[in-house]
Amino acid sequence: MSLSFSPAPSPIVARLRAAGCVFAEDEARLLVSAARTPAELDDMVDRRARGLPLEHVLGWSEFCGLRLAVDPGVFVPRPRSEFLVRQAAALARPGAVVVDLCCGSGALGAALAAAVGPVELHAVDVDPAAVRCARRNLAATGGRVMGGGVYEGDLYEALPADLRGRVDVLLASPPYVPTGAIGLLPPEARVHEPQVALDGGADGLDIVRRVVDEADAWLAPGGHLLVETSEGQARATTDAVSRARLTARLTYDEELDATTVIGTRPSRAG
C-alpha cells in the first residue's frame, strides 16, 4: 500500500527543487504514492535528487495512457514519440503484422497494439536490458498481441526470416542524436540511459539510414515505415526514404515538437 502522506510534503519538494527538478511538486506526489515505507520514500527521493530519471526511480513511465515498466539503464520513452504512435494507428488495422525496431522498453509497439487491437508484434533491440524490459511490457498487453516476440540483436538481423515481405507497419525510433551533441544532453539522459540508444553517429542518421535502406525488403505491398527523427534531420531522412523506393511523407506536430517520416511501399496494383 502507498503511504498516507500529504500530496506533496514540503521537505521533499524542497529537496527536489534544490536538485534542479523543475516539476518538483508533481514528482513529489508520484514518489509518495509509489513508496511503501518511509525508508523506501527517502531512498527514492535521494536517487531522484542524485539525478536518476524519475521513471527509473518509479520503475515505470506513462506513455499513450499506458503505464509501462522502465528498468534502470533502459531508454525512457519520450512524449514526442506518442505522435509516431498516433500516425501508425491511423495506418494499421487489427491483425496487422507490426515490427518495432530499436524498441527500448517496447513502448511504441505496446501503445500501437493498445490503440489498434490485436496485432502480430515483433520487437527488436540490441540492448539485453531493453529486451528484458520490452518482454515484460508486451507480455502485459494481454489479448492485444497475437503472436510475435521480442528479439535481441542488430535491427533486421534479429527478425525471423519469414517476416520478409509481409510487415504491414514498421516502427522505428532509432538513436538520432549526433555524437558531438551527446554531451549537451541533460545528465538524466547522457549519464543514466545507454549511449547506444542515443548516439546516431556523426550526423545523427547512421542508424536511421540503416533502418530505411532495408525497409523495402521487409514491408508488405502497401506497408508503411514510420521513423522518428528531428526537425533539422527531416529533409535528409525524407530523401533517404525516397531513395529506398518508398513513397515518402513528412509529418510534424508542433505541440510535441515531434517529427515522423512515413515511407509507403507501393502496392502491387500501383
Side-chain angles (χ1 to χ4, degrees), residues 18-40:
C21 299
V22 176
F23 303 104
E25 290 191 2
D26 292 337
E27 293 191 10
R29 281 191 288 268
L30 288 169
L31 294 171
V32 167
S33 67
R36 293 166 293 186
T37 66
E40 184 176 35

PDB file of all heavy atoms in Angstrom, residues 18-40:
ATOM      1  N   ALA A  18      15.925  21.784  -4.895  1.00  0.00           N
ATOM      2  CA  ALA A  18      17.354  22.066  -4.715  1.00  0.00           C
ATOM      3  C   ALA A  18      18.203  21.246  -5.671  1.00  0.00           C
ATOM      4  O   ALA A  18      19.300  21.667  -6.054  1.00  0.00           O
ATOM      5  CB  ALA A  18      17.761  21.781  -3.272  1.00  0.00           C
ATOM      6  N   ALA A  19      17.686  20.096  -6.068  1.00  0.00           N
ATOM      7  CA  ALA A  19      18.415  19.238  -7.007  1.00  0.00           C
ATOM      8  C   ALA A  19      18.164  19.638  -8.459  1.00  0.00           C
ATOM      9  O   ALA A  19      18.733  19.037  -9.370  1.00  0.00           O
ATOM     10  CB  ALA A  19      18.010  17.789  -6.796  1.00  0.00           C
ATOM     11  N   GLY A  20      17.305  20.644  -8.671  1.00  0.00           N
ATOM     12  CA  GLY A  20      17.060  21.135 -10.025  1.00  0.00           C
ATOM     13  C   GLY A  20      15.867  20.520 -10.716  1.00  0.00           C
ATOM     14  O   GLY A  20      15.713  20.679 -11.937  1.00  0.00           O
ATOM     15  N   CYS A  21      15.009  19.830  -9.983  1.00  0.00           N
ATOM     16  CA  CYS A  21      13.813  19.235 -10.588  1.00  0.00           C
ATOM     17  C   CYS A  21      12.772  20.328 -10.835  1.00  0.00           C
ATOM     18  O   CYS A  21      12.253  20.926  -9.890  1.00  0.00           O
ATOM     19  CB  CYS A  21      13.244  18.156  -9.674  1.00  0.00           C
ATOM     20  SG  CYS A  21      14.371  16.779  -9.352  1.00  0.00           S
ATOM     21  N   VAL A  22      12.463  20.564 -12.084  1.00  0.00           N
ATOM     22  CA  VAL A  22      11.583  21.657 -12.458  1.00  0.00           C
ATOM     23  C   VAL A  22      10.155  21.412 -11.970  1.00  0.00           C
ATOM     24  O   VAL A  22       9.467  22.329 -11.531  1.00  0.00           O
ATOM     25  CB  VAL A  22      11.598  21.861 -13.985  1.00  0.00           C
ATOM     26  CG1 VAL A  22      10.607  22.949 -14.391  1.00  0.00           C
ATOM     27  CG2 VAL A  22      13.001  22.218 -14.449  1.00  0.00           C
ATOM     28  N   PHE A  23       9.714  20.160 -12.036  1.00  0.00           N
ATOM     29  CA  PHE A  23       8.348  19.821 -11.641  1.00  0.00           C
ATOM     30  C   PHE A  23       8.368  19.115 -10.289  1.00  0.00           C
ATOM     31  O   PHE A  23       7.835  18.013 -10.127  1.00  0.00           O
ATOM     32  CB  PHE A  23       7.693  18.944 -12.713  1.00  0.00           C
ATOM     33  CG  PHE A  23       7.679  19.583 -14.074  1.00  0.00           C
ATOM     34  CD1 PHE A  23       8.567  19.179 -15.063  1.00  0.00           C
ATOM     35  CD2 PHE A  23       6.787  20.610 -14.367  1.00  0.00           C
ATOM     36  CE1 PHE A  23       8.555  19.769 -16.312  1.00  0.00           C
ATOM     37  CE2 PHE A  23       6.766  21.205 -15.620  1.00  0.00           C
ATOM     38  CZ  PHE A  23       7.664  20.792 -16.592  1.00  0.00           C
ATOM     39  N   ALA A  24       8.995  19.765  -9.312  1.00  0.00           N
ATOM     40  CA  ALA A  24       9.246  19.139  -8.012  1.00  0.00           C
ATOM     41  C   ALA A  24       7.968  18.685  -7.319  1.00  0.00           C
ATOM     42  O   ALA A  24       7.917  17.588  -6.741  1.00  0.00           O
ATOM     43  CB  ALA A  24      10.029  20.098  -7.119  1.00  0.00           C
ATOM     44  N   GLU A  25       6.908  19.490  -7.357  1.00  0.00           N
ATOM     45  CA  GLU A  25       5.679  19.119  -6.652  1.00  0.00           C
ATOM     46  C   GLU A  25       5.025  17.892  -7.278  1.00  0.00           C
ATOM     47  O   GLU A  25       4.580  16.982  -6.570  1.00  0.00           O
ATOM     48  CB  GLU A  25       4.715  20.295  -6.623  1.00  0.00           C
ATOM     49  CG  GLU A  25       5.173  21.439  -5.732  1.00  0.00           C
ATOM     50  CD  GLU A  25       4.073  22.464  -5.508  1.00  0.00           C
ATOM     51  OE1 GLU A  25       2.949  22.245  -6.024  1.00  0.00           O
ATOM     52  OE2 GLU A  25       4.332  23.452  -4.823  1.00  0.00           O
ATOM     53  N   ASP A  26       4.962  17.867  -8.616  1.00  0.00           N
ATOM     54  CA  ASP A  26       4.376  16.706  -9.290  1.00  0.00           C
ATOM     55  C   ASP A  26       5.197  15.452  -9.000  1.00  0.00           C
ATOM     56  O   ASP A  26       4.643  14.379  -8.750  1.00  0.00           O
ATOM     57  CB  ASP A  26       4.313  16.949 -10.798  1.00  0.00           C
ATOM     58  CG  ASP A  26       3.315  18.028 -11.166  1.00  0.00           C
ATOM     59  OD1 ASP A  26       2.397  18.282 -10.370  1.00  0.00           O
ATOM     60  OD2 ASP A  26       3.471  18.626 -12.257  1.00  0.00           O
ATOM     61  N   GLU A  27       6.519  15.596  -9.050  1.00  0.00           N
ATOM     62  CA  GLU A  27       7.375  14.437  -8.811  1.00  0.00           C
ATOM     63  C   GLU A  27       7.236  13.956  -7.368  1.00  0.00           C
ATOM     64  O   GLU A  27       7.231  12.741  -7.108  1.00  0.00           O
ATOM     65  CB  GLU A  27       8.826  14.780  -9.134  1.00  0.00           C
ATOM     66  CG  GLU A  27       9.056  15.038 -10.606  1.00  0.00           C
ATOM     67  CD  GLU A  27      10.537  15.114 -10.969  1.00  0.00           C
ATOM     68  OE1 GLU A  27      11.381  14.786 -10.109  1.00  0.00           O
ATOM     69  OE2 GLU A  27      10.846  15.482 -12.122  1.00  0.00           O
ATOM     70  N   ALA A  28       7.122  14.889  -6.431  1.00  0.00           N
ATOM     71  CA  ALA A  28       6.966  14.505  -5.034  1.00  0.00           C
ATOM     72  C   ALA A  28       5.699  13.683  -4.841  1.00  0.00           C
ATOM     73  O   ALA A  28       5.696  12.668  -4.130  1.00  0.00           O
ATOM     74  CB  ALA A  28       6.943  15.747  -4.149  1.00  0.00           C
ATOM     75  N   ARG A  29       4.619  14.091  -5.473  1.00  0.00           N
ATOM     76  CA  ARG A  29       3.362  13.343  -5.346  1.00  0.00           C
ATOM     77  C   ARG A  29       3.523  11.919  -5.894  1.00  0.00           C
ATOM     78  O   ARG A  29       3.018  10.955  -5.297  1.00  0.00           O
ATOM     79  CB  ARG A  29       2.238  14.084  -6.065  1.00  0.00           C
ATOM     80  CG  ARG A  29       1.680  15.258  -5.268  1.00  0.00           C
ATOM     81  CD  ARG A  29       0.403  15.784  -5.902  1.00  0.00           C
ATOM     82  NE  ARG A  29       0.668  16.494  -7.136  1.00  0.00           N
ATOM     83  CZ  ARG A  29       0.883  17.816  -7.199  1.00  0.00           C
ATOM     84  NH1 ARG A  29       0.870  18.538  -6.087  1.00  0.00           N
ATOM     85  NH2 ARG A  29       1.105  18.407  -8.351  1.00  0.00           N
ATOM     86  N   LEU A  30       4.195  11.801  -7.025  1.00  0.00           N
ATOM     87  CA  LEU A  30       4.385  10.471  -7.607  1.00  0.00           C
ATOM     88  C   LEU A  30       5.246   9.586  -6.711  1.00  0.00           C
ATOM     89  O   LEU A  30       4.961   8.396  -6.516  1.00  0.00           O
ATOM     90  CB  LEU A  30       5.031  10.598  -8.992  1.00  0.00           C
ATOM     91  CG  LEU A  30       4.127  11.136 -10.102  1.00  0.00           C
ATOM     92  CD1 LEU A  30       4.932  11.462 -11.347  1.00  0.00           C
ATOM     93  CD2 LEU A  30       3.032  10.118 -10.429  1.00  0.00           C
ATOM     94  N   LEU A  31       6.304  10.152  -6.158  1.00  0.00           N
ATOM     95  CA  LEU A  31       7.187   9.374  -5.293  1.00  0.00           C
ATOM     96  C   LEU A  31       6.464   8.931  -4.022  1.00  0.00           C
ATOM     97  O   LEU A  31       6.603   7.785  -3.575  1.00  0.00           O
ATOM     98  CB  LEU A  31       8.436  10.180  -4.957  1.00  0.00           C
ATOM     99  CG  LEU A  31       9.368  10.472  -6.141  1.00  0.00           C
ATOM    100  CD1 LEU A  31      10.451  11.456  -5.736  1.00  0.00           C
ATOM    101  CD2 LEU A  31       9.989   9.188  -6.672  1.00  0.00           C
ATOM    102  N   VAL A  32       5.689   9.834  -3.452  1.00  0.00           N
ATOM    103  CA  VAL A  32       4.931   9.493  -2.247  1.00  0.00           C
ATOM    104  C   VAL A  32       3.938   8.367  -2.536  1.00  0.00           C
ATOM    105  O   VAL A  32       3.781   7.421  -1.753  1.00  0.00           O
ATOM    106  CB  VAL A  32       4.206  10.732  -1.699  1.00  0.00           C
ATOM    107  CG1 VAL A  32       3.178  10.337  -0.647  1.00  0.00           C
ATOM    108  CG2 VAL A  32       5.213  11.711  -1.107  1.00  0.00           C
ATOM    109  N   SER A  33       3.262   8.448  -3.663  1.00  0.00           N
ATOM    110  CA  SER A  33       2.256   7.434  -3.993  1.00  0.00           C
ATOM    111  C   SER A  33       2.892   6.078  -4.285  1.00  0.00           C
ATOM    112  O   SER A  33       2.253   5.031  -4.105  1.00  0.00           O
ATOM    113  CB  SER A  33       1.417   7.875  -5.193  1.00  0.00           C
ATOM    114  OG  SER A  33       2.200   7.914  -6.372  1.00  0.00           O
ATOM    115  N   ALA A  34       4.162   6.077  -4.730  1.00  0.00           N
ATOM    116  CA  ALA A  34       4.824   4.822  -5.088  1.00  0.00           C
ATOM    117  C   ALA A  34       5.505   4.151  -3.914  1.00  0.00           C
ATOM    118  O   ALA A  34       5.668   2.921  -3.899  1.00  0.00           O
ATOM    119  CB  ALA A  34       5.855   5.081  -6.191  1.00  0.00           C
ATOM    120  N   ALA A  35       5.922   4.925  -2.923  1.00  0.00           N
ATOM    121  CA  ALA A  35       6.685   4.366  -1.802  1.00  0.00           C
ATOM    122  C   ALA A  35       5.792   3.556  -0.873  1.00  0.00           C
ATOM    123  O   ALA A  35       4.653   3.920  -0.597  1.00  0.00           O
ATOM    124  CB  ALA A  35       7.362   5.490  -1.031  1.00  0.00           C
ATOM    125  N   ARG A  36       6.344   2.443  -0.365  1.00  0.00           N
ATOM    126  CA  ARG A  36       5.595   1.583   0.549  1.00  0.00           C
ATOM    127  C   ARG A  36       5.977   1.799   2.012  1.00  0.00           C
ATOM    128  O   ARG A  36       5.219   1.421   2.910  1.00  0.00           O
ATOM    129  CB  ARG A  36       5.823   0.116   0.159  1.00  0.00           C
ATOM    130  CG  ARG A  36       5.217  -0.268  -1.186  1.00  0.00           C
ATOM    131  CD  ARG A  36       5.743  -1.586  -1.676  1.00  0.00           C
ATOM    132  NE  ARG A  36       7.178  -1.496  -1.996  1.00  0.00           N
ATOM    133  CZ  ARG A  36       7.869  -2.476  -2.561  1.00  0.00           C
ATOM    134  NH1 ARG A  36       7.280  -3.626  -2.846  1.00  0.00           N
ATOM    135  NH2 ARG A  36       9.162  -2.314  -2.812  1.00  0.00           N
ATOM    136  N   THR A  37       7.161   2.368   2.238  1.00  0.00           N
ATOM    137  CA  THR A  37       7.609   2.641   3.606  1.00  0.00           C
ATOM    138  C   THR A  37       8.324   3.985   3.621  1.00  0.00           C
ATOM    139  O   THR A  37       8.786   4.469   2.571  1.00  0.00           O
ATOM    140  CB  THR A  37       8.598   1.562   4.101  1.00  0.00           C
ATOM    141  OG1 THR A  37       9.805   1.648   3.328  1.00  0.00           O
ATOM    142  CG2 THR A  37       8.006   0.164   3.969  1.00  0.00           C
ATOM    143  N   PRO A  38       8.456   4.613   4.788  1.00  0.00           N
ATOM    144  CA  PRO A  38       9.215   5.866   4.861  1.00  0.00           C
ATOM    145  C   PRO A  38      10.648   5.703   4.378  1.00  0.00           C
ATOM    146  O   PRO A  38      11.184   6.596   3.718  1.00  0.00           O
ATOM    147  CB  PRO A  38       9.152   6.229   6.347  1.00  0.00           C
ATOM    148  CG  PRO A  38       7.909   5.571   6.840  1.00  0.00           C
ATOM    149  CD  PRO A  38       7.793   4.289   6.079  1.00  0.00           C
ATOM    150  N   ALA A  39      11.268   4.565   4.689  1.00  0.00           N
ATOM    151  CA  ALA A  39      12.649   4.341   4.264  1.00  0.00           C
ATOM    152  C   ALA A  39      12.738   4.261   2.737  1.00  0.00           C
ATOM    153  O   ALA A  39      13.670   4.782   2.126  1.00  0.00           O
ATOM    154  CB  ALA A  39      13.193   3.065   4.898  1.00  0.00           C
ATOM    155  N   GLU A  40      11.760   3.598   2.131  1.00  0.00           N
ATOM    156  CA  GLU A  40      11.765   3.495   0.675  1.00  0.00           C
ATOM    157  C   GLU A  40      11.547   4.865   0.043  1.00  0.00           C
ATOM    158  O   GLU A  40      12.188   5.202  -0.962  1.00  0.00           O
ATOM    159  CB  GLU A  40      10.685   2.527   0.201  1.00  0.00           C
ATOM    160  CG  GLU A  40      10.704   2.293  -1.314  1.00  0.00           C
ATOM    161  CD  GLU A  40       9.688   1.270  -1.756  1.00  0.00           C
ATOM    162  OE1 GLU A  40       8.585   1.199  -1.168  1.00  0.00           O
ATOM    163  OE2 GLU A  40       9.982   0.541  -2.723  1.00  0.00           O
TER     164      GLU A  40
END
